[in-house]
């Protein structure tokens, strides 16, 4: 039997500003099993990134249940959410968010060191992950010395440093040229496979979307699973 790692029921998200409200998600249901490589597509503004942010504990839902790893994200306090993002999740965004004054190795190493891993062990794991993404020869380079594709490969390595159970990737190829986009897409799926992680990836790139074993499209605030 498959085990849900993410189970969302009746999810609603409404943004309120200056007395006006905009409903983005409207009773959305979605489930992802442990080990799935789940891809979410939809038009711009459909709520894909909002959904990922809610799963990641970066935004609050207006209503509904968001169970991740058996815990309701919406009921977590600040300290628990921080621990959840630090240890349960790996995050990859459209922009790499690398620290400009730190090398590639240091950028991958830091989240583990900040989580209490010894410097020696954190450095060893960071070095191994950079090797996995094909950047062992660029470990000592700063972000400004790396190409866009290389920066995003460092971000993928960083997302795995704390051995998370779930990787959330929000338009990770959106700023890349087609060749690098294809490379990063392939890398995310291969790294999730080799490290036995569940992946939820938001994308507008249908070539990348076709690689998922589970696919959803967000339409009119709801999620529809794509079959075949």
């Amino acid at each position: 039997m498959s085990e849900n790692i993410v189970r969302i029921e009746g999810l609603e998200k409404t943004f309120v500003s200056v007395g006006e409200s905009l409903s983005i998600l409207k009773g959305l249901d979605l489930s992802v099993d442990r080990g799935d490589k789940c891809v979410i597509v939809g038009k711009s503004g459909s709520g894909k990134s909002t959904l990922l942010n809610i799963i990641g504990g970066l935004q609050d839902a207006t209503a509904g249940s968001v169970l991740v790893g058996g815990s309701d994200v919406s009921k977590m306090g600040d300290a628990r959410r921080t621990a959840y993002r630090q240890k349960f999740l790996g995050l990859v965004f459209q922009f790499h968010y690398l620290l400009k004054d730190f090398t590639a190795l240091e950028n991958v190493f830091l989240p583990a060191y900040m989580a209490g891993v010894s410097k020696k062990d954190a450095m060893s794991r960071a070095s191994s992950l950079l090797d996995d993404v094909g950047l062992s020869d660029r470990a000592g380079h700063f972000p400004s010395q790396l190409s866009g594709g290389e920066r995003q490969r460092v971000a993928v390595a960083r997302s795995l440093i704390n051995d998370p159970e779930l990787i959330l990737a929000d338009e990770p190829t959106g700023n890349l040229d087609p060749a690098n986009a294809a490379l990063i897409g392939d890398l995310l799926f291969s790294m999730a496979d080799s490290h036995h992680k569940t992946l939820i990836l938001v994308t507008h790139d249908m070539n990348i979307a076709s690689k998922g074993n589970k696919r959803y499209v967000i339409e009119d605030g709801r999620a529809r699973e794509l079959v075949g």
Side-chain angles (χ1 to χ4, degrees):
M1 292 291 290
S2 297
E3 177 192 355
N4 288 151
I5 191 170
V6 177
R7 186 169 188 83
I8 297 173
E9 295 179 345
L11 178 62
E12 298 182 12
K13 180 60 179 179
T14 300
F15 293 96
V16 179
S17 177
V18 196
E20 295 185 359
S21 63
L22 176 65
S23 293
I24 300 295
L25 303 176
K26 309 168 186 177
L28 179 145
D29 299 325
L30 175 148
S31 66
V32 178
D33 291 336
R34 196 172 295 275
D36 273 346
K37 310 299 178 289
C38 176
V39 177
I40 299 172
V41 298
K43 294 179 179 177
S44 179
S46 62
K48 305 184 302 296
S49 293
T50 298
L51 172 60
L52 217 64
N53 285 339
I54 291 172
I55 295 172
L58 300 170
Q59 291 182 8
D60 289 320
T62 303
S65 171
V66 183
L67 296 176
V68 184
S71 298
D72 193 333
V73 178
S74 64
K75 295 180 180 177
M76 292 179 181
D78 289 343
R80 193 171 174 203
R81 281 197 189 196
T82 298
Y84 162 70
R85 286 193 295 266
Q86 190 177 64
K87 299 189 176 179
F88 192 89
L89 297 181
L91 302 171
V92 183
F93 299 98
Q94 185 170 345
F95 186 69
H96 54 77
Y97 293 113
L98 300 180
L99 299 173
K100 65 182 181 65
D101 295 324
F102 291 82
T103 65
L105 180 64
E106 290 166 341
N107 267 284
V108 178
F109 148 87
L110 273 173
Y113 187 60
M114 292 173 67
V117 178
S118 72
K119 184 174 183 179
K120 179 181 177 182
D121 288 347
M123 277 292 189
S124 176
R125 180 161 176 77
S127 180
S128 177
L129 285 167
L130 279 180
D131 187 46
D132 286 349
V133 300
L135 287 179
S136 56
D137 61 333
R138 309 288 277 169
H141 289 66
F142 294 95
S144 62
Q145 298 171 311
L146 302 174
S147 69
E150 287 172 336
R151 292 172 197 159
Q152 203 64 324
R153 283 153 69 187
V154 174
V156 171
R158 180 184 58 190
S159 75
L160 288 159
I161 189 65
N162 283 331
D163 197 24
E165 294 193 43
L166 175 63
I167 304 294
L168 301 180
D170 187 7
E171 295 281 11
T173 65
N175 285 332
L176 302 176
D177 61 76
N180 272 308
L183 186 153
I184 294 298
D186 287 343
L187 180 66
L188 273 164
F189 283 96
S190 66
M191 291 290 281
D193 269 337
S194 63
H195 290 268
H196 310 292
K197 305 303 179 188
T198 305
L199 172 67
I200 302 179
L201 185 150
V202 163
T203 186
H204 64 276
D205 187 327
M206 296 310 294
N207 289 324
I208 293 173
S210 67
K211 301 178 186 296
N213 72 300
K214 178 174 280 191
R215 293 174 293 146
Y216 285 98
V217 58
I218 308 296
E219 297 173 321
D220 300 320
R222 291 180 170 84
R224 175 170 60 87
E225 187 171 358
L226 299 173
V227 180

